[in-house]
Amino acid sequence: MKSTVNLAKKTLINNRRSKYTLPTNTKLYPAQWNWDSAFIALGYSNFNLKYSFQEIETLLSGQWDDGMIPHILFHIRDTNYTPNYKAWNCGNKVSSSGITQPPIIVSVLRLIFERQKFSKKEIKKYSSFILKIEKYLEWFIRFRDPKKTGLISILHPWESGYDNSPLWDKPMSKIKIDGNLSYKRKDNLIVKESQRPLKIDYDRYVTIKNHLRRMNYDPKKLYNKSKFNVVDVGFNSLFLKALKDLDFLLGCIGKRSFLLKKYIILNESKLIKLFNSKKMKFKNKDIKNNTLIEIPSITNFFMLFADLNNNLINRNLIKSLKIYYKNEKYLFPSINSKHKSFEEERYWRGPVWINCNWIIYQGLKNKDKNLAKIIRKKTINLVEKKKFREYYSCKSGLGMGANNFSWSAALYLDFKLNRS
Ligand code: DGY
């Protein structure tokens, strides 16, 4: 449908500010978000390479000296969002949050380079991007796995990007809410309360954030001291894919990193252990409380995206995925709809997300072409019918959350205009 393609391009352009793009043009997210920006850059690469590279360049401009790329960059000192730049009170050249998000930017960059068939010389021109990204991934290895277990921790649910997932219910339930919290939510004035996180969850998000702030966001201290420390299958899968893609990109500029190569092998062997092929179950680890988390979340299937060098596991993952979405009209629910934590409408507790579909589609392309084709078709149909919403009901297809959502538009373009 040509008109939806044009509408998607227009949506991105309308959400574009100076050299970066908002997740939506409503007031819900008035800044640049890390993984949103990566998906947006991919969307632009289908029709405006200049905007695509500017999006990436602006995101990288917020990198901290230690290598971290924050999850939010507040280019404009807007106080309409909670917690805003004052509440975080940090940043390097740009005011930012003090935590990160999945490094999907690496995989996006590789896809752009491969699809557009850049020459080695042209890639060299962008080698500063690749080197910044190398520093970013090294930061994870250094500070989020200081004991070199082979698995990366996240220290706030917001670092996953799937902020309000039932994956975090157990570790979150252990967090004692600060007594003197003073913050005012704005999100639930813009989107229906039934589609946003509960107050108790926000109280805990802010409690964890305030504690990180009290520690001056010192990465050396946070791994042991944070109130939240979880090893998540989805996050580690995105990380492993990022490592593999960075290894490729470094090769393009004539560089090699033994640290990365070593960690790829370690990370892959440990990630595989988080999937029990016999029981077809995934386990995440709550490092802080030394317990396991077993929630049927679509993000567990990001393991397909990690391109594990193990056909048996990949086949079992696909078998398990087919059971996961069986009987669902719209794909994929973020939580298996038969699970007790499933909520049809609430943020990350059940609704369909276009970025999850895209990640799984990318993982299936070289493993099950037929299934990949089905996912692509169903995603395109859903977006053409309901347009660019933040998320959708897996039962009725109803669009929910923000309108004019950038990554839904960007990834629609990618699905529609690209088959690689
Ligand atoms: C929000 O405000 O819901 C954001 O997703 C947090 O990163």
Side-chain angles (χ1 to χ4, degrees):
M1 213 191 262
K2 193 154 178 268
S3 63
T4 312
V5 167
N6 288 340
L7 208 60
K9 292 178 184 172
K10 234 197 227 154
T11 301
L12 289 179
I13 302 290
N14 284 344
N15 291 350
R16 193 163 185 270
R17 298 298 178 263
S18 118
K19 299 188 180 171
Y20 70 97
T21 309
L22 304 176
T24 156
N25 65 3
T26 62
K27 291 194 174 133
L28 194 58
Y29 308 121
Q32 185 179 25
W33 260 258
N34 184 331
W35 78 330
D36 291 70
S37 223
F39 294 124
I40 289 164
L42 186 71
Y44 282 134
S45 73
N46 288 290
F47 69 101
N48 190 327
L49 204 54
K50 185 174 147 210
Y51 286 0
S52 176
F53 280 110
Q54 274 183 352
E55 189 74 32
I56 295 171
E57 201 167 9
T58 310
L59 178 64
L60 298 179
S61 74
Q63 184 167 37
W64 286 15
D65 287 339
D66 62 13
M68 185 186 79
I69 301 177
H71 102 294
I72 308 176
L73 297 179
F74 300 101
H75 298 287
I76 292 170
R77 302 196 148 192
D78 186 303
T79 48
N80 275 317
Y81 173 76
T82 299
N84 63 32
Y85 76 96
K86 279 193 205 154
W88 283 101
N89 192 34
C90 57
N92 191 2
K93 292 185 189 97
V94 186
S95 287
S96 73
S97 68
I99 56 174
T100 190
Q101 252 183 347
I104 192 87
I105 185 68
V106 193
S107 305
V108 161
L109 199 58
R110 175 178 179 174
L111 263 181
I112 296 173
F113 280 146
E114 282 189 321
R115 283 180 183 168
Q116 312 267 340
K117 305 246 178 306
F118 285 88
S119 66
K120 291 218 156 140
K121 213 166 134 199
E122 282 170 314
I123 294 183
K124 256 212 153 90
K125 190 172 146 204
Y126 294 107
S127 56
S128 65
F129 287 3
I130 298 169
L131 297 179
K132 282 184 177 182
I133 277 171
E134 182 183 16
K135 215 174 146 196
Y136 183 30
L137 296 196
E138 282 174 359
W139 173 88
F140 278 107
I141 297 172
R142 189 153 164 227
F143 297 116
R144 296 313 182 81
D145 183 18
K147 298 178 185 147
K148 299 295 162 282
T149 63
L151 292 165
I152 300 290
S153 283
I154 53 170
L155 305 184
H156 194 300
W158 287 342
E159 290 203 310
S160 68
Y162 22 107
D163 311 348
N164 193 34
S165 168
L167 284 164
W168 325 128
D169 287 358
K170 236 163 95 179
M172 285 283 270
S173 71
K174 298 279 192 305
I175 289 165
K176 245 182 85 197
I177 294 165
D178 277 351
N180 55 352
L181 282 184
S182 77
Y183 72 96
K184 245 206 176 94
R185 278 176 77 173
K186 312 246 168 64
D187 62 300
N188 51 3
L189 306 176
I190 302 161
V191 170
K192 271 193 194 164
E193 284 206 50
S194 59
Q195 297 174 6
R196 289 294 299 173
L198 301 174
K199 175 180 184 306
I200 189 165
D201 291 315
Y202 252 84
D203 283 353
R204 289 185 171 124
Y205 297 144
V206 175
T207 297
I208 307 170
K209 176 201 75 72
N210 288 350
H211 180 248
L212 298 175
R213 178 176 168 172
R214 284 196 294 276
M215 315 275 300
N216 286 323
Y217 307 104
D218 179 350
K220 288 196 209 80
K221 294 189 191 146
L222 295 184
Y223 183 88
N224 289 319
K225 296 270 168 70
S226 173
K227 292 176 184 285
F228 181 97
N229 182 333
V230 171
V231 159
D232 170 59
V233 169
F235 193 95
N236 275 274
S237 302
L238 299 178
F239 186 73
L240 177 56
K241 181 68 162 74
L243 287 174
K244 292 179 178 178
D245 291 338
L246 176 60
D247 187 49
F248 170 88
L249 290 170
L250 283 172
C252 293
I253 57 166
K255 272 200 76 185
R256 245 191 308 193
S257 161
F258 291 107
L259 172 74
L260 289 190
K261 282 192 188 293
K262 236 171 92 185
Y263 203 80
I264 288 174
I265 296 167
L266 184 64
N267 192 221
E268 175 145 345
S269 68
K270 293 299 166 72
L271 181 60
I272 283 174
K273 294 205 172 99
L274 299 180
F275 179 56
N276 184 329
S277 282
K278 276 199 200 105
K279 292 190 185 156
M280 301 267 228
K281 275 201 158 156
F282 296 90
K283 53 176 192 246
N284 291 356
K285 292 180 176 185
D286 179 350
I287 303 291
K288 185 80 190 169
N289 302 296
N290 198 18
T291 53
L292 295 177
I293 301 169
E294 291 186 10
I295 297 285
S297 163
I298 192 63
T299 56
N300 293 328
F301 293 100
F302 290 176
M303 240 189 209
L304 288 162
F305 184 66
D307 272 343
L308 301 175
N309 191 13
N310 187 318
N311 288 339
L312 183 66
I313 293 219
N314 287 332
R315 275 204 302 276
N316 280 328
L317 282 168
I318 292 172
K319 232 193 264 170
S320 179
L321 176 66
K322 286 180 177 162
I323 298 168
Y324 177 93
Y325 74 76
K326 209 171 119 218
N327 306 326
E328 236 45 276
K329 189 150 181 221
Y330 298 94
L331 304 187
F332 291 106
S334 34
I335 296 295
N336 187 325
S337 64
K338 287 180 203 72
H339 192 259
K340 59 180 187 301
S341 66
F342 171 84
E343 290 182 67
E344 186 182 338
E345 288 193 9
R346 204 178 300 282
Y347 191 61
W348 286 110
R349 300 183 75 87
V352 171
W353 290 80
I354 301 304
N355 69 332
C356 292
N357 290 17
W358 182 87
I359 290 167
I360 288 167
Y361 166 77
Q362 291 294 325
L364 285 171
K365 268 181 348 190
N366 58 0
K367 301 177 191 72
D368 187 331
K369 281 200 170 50
N370 234 349
L371 185 54
K373 235 165 102 183
I374 294 171
I375 309 306
R376 179 176 176 272
K377 196 161 169 241
K378 280 186 173 271
T379 309
I380 287 175
N381 287 346
L382 175 61
V383 178
E384 286 183 348
K385 214 156 117 191
K386 303 291 175 177
K387 299 298 175 279
F388 316 113
R389 297 302 300 262
E390 189 178 7
Y391 39 96
Y392 309 82
S393 158
C394 65
K395 303 288 178 202
S396 67
L398 177 75
M400 297 180 286
N403 274 309
N404 305 317
F405 198 67
S406 294
W407 85 33
S408 299
L411 296 176
Y412 168 78
L413 285 175
D414 206 63
F415 271 120
K416 190 78 186 172
L417 305 178
N418 239 295
R419 276 158 203 271
S420 63

